[in-house]
Amino acid sequence: MTDLHDIYQLDKKLEPLCLLKDYAPPKMGWIAAIRQSLGMSSAQLAKILKISTARMGNIEKNEANHSIQLSTLEKAAEGMGCKVFYVIVPKNKNFLELINQQARKIAKEAVMKSAGHMVLENQEALKEIELQIELLTQELLHKNWKELWNYEI
């Protein structure tokens, strides 16, 4: 059973890779970019892969359009002496933060529903609301945090 410690370990393992999350692939796709960098023509790569040049063109087009099959990408990479590195990383900081954000969204919605009668301009009321959101967030995280994904906010 996965617990928050397992998520922490996953975050640590993926931490160096998260540095790449804002790195966009070349518009032409990796296959064409690497092939060209190697000084290899599409006909030469097609010959290595034992496919037609037309098929090679379709492969590069499909990659550029984000519709390439992973197995095809792996074969093309292998033909160029490369390896595909496939990973999913969180958009923000890490997975623990993602779980915390979900708990906070749920807590905020619940607290704001019950705080509807409070005057939101009142500084003391705002502090109390924020405290209630934080307490409920922590309670949600320490209970069954996997249930957080059953709520759609």
Side-chain angles (χ1 to χ4, degrees), residues 115-130:
H117 66 281
M118 293 183 147
V119 179
L120 295 181
E121 288 79 29
N122 180 329
Q123 196 64 28
E124 289 304 311
L126 288 175
K127 286 180 185 177
E128 178 62 26
I129 288 170
E130 189 56 41

Side-chain angles (χ1 to χ4, degrees), residues 101-121:
Q101 287 172 357
Q102 180 71 1
R104 185 163 175 77
K105 282 183 203 174
I106 294 166
K108 186 173 183 179
E109 183 175 287
V111 169
M112 293 310 285
K113 279 182 183 176
S114 65
H117 66 281
M118 293 183 147
V119 179
L120 295 181
E121 288 79 29

Side-chain angles (χ1 to χ4, degrees), residues 102 105-106 109 147-153:
Q102 180 71 1
K105 282 183 203 174
I106 294 166
E109 183 175 287
E147 296 295 317
L148 296 173
W149 306 109
N150 292 333
Y151 298 92
E152 195 171 314
I153 307 285

Side-chain angles (χ1 to χ4, degrees), residues 37-64:
S37 294
L38 293 172
M40 185 186 294
S41 71
S42 59
Q44 289 169 321
L45 182 54
K47 185 176 179 183
I48 291 168
L49 297 176
K50 297 180 173 90
I51 60 174
S52 70
T53 53
R55 174 76 178 118
M56 188 68 240
N58 285 336
I59 288 171
E60 289 185 357
K61 184 180 90 177
N62 289 343
E63 187 202 357

